[in-house]
Structure formats: C-alpha cells, structure tokens
Amino acid sequence: HVRLAQVVWAVEQRFCLPALDGHKSEILALTWAPDGQHLLTAGQDCTLRVWRACDGLQLAFFMADAA
C-alpha cells in the first residue's frame, strides 16, 4: 500500500503548503475557497476533499456515486 501526499505551491506567496495526505490517486482539480483559508480538491479516486490550508488538515470528504 502506497500513501500519496500531494504538495501545493502558493506561487505568488512563494511558499509550499503542508502536504495534503488523503487522496488515493492523483488530484485532478484544486481551488481555493473565497476565504483564502481552505482548499477543495477533486481526485481521480472519485472523491472531493476540503482542507484547511494552513496545516493540511482534511476537514471533509465526499465520495462520488459510481453511476
């Protein structure tokens, strides 16, 4: 079993956010919440995850219907 940790660079601020550890495959999309404090990711593993940007803590997890 291989654990994947995704790394996000905040290019304009020139720093790397904490690793996002949770998706079982590639992250296909990432967007910042309007508050600038949270991220939403969509993974190839058919999940959506909400993260706290400052420490990479996963706050919510949603699995897509396989239909």
Side-chain angles (χ1 to χ4, degrees):
H1 181 308
V2 176
R3 290 180 52 154
L4 296 177
Q6 309 294 332
V7 177
V8 177
W9 282 92
V11 176
E12 290 181 11
Q13 293 81 8
R14 297 183 181 167
F15 69 92
C16 181
L17 297 172
L20 305 178
D21 186 13
H23 283 287
K24 294 180 179 24
S25 59
E26 294 179 25
I27 290 177
L28 301 176
L30 178 146
T31 191
W32 286 91
D35 65 7
Q37 303 299 311
H38 299 89
L39 299 166
L40 174 67
T41 57
Q44 191 172 15
D45 58 0
C46 298
T47 64
L48 296 173
R49 297 171 190 261
V50 178
W51 310 87
R52 188 166 57 199
C54 66
D55 61 5
L57 178 68
Q58 181 180 293
L59 301 174
F61 165 88
F62 306 93
M63 182 165 279
D65 186 358

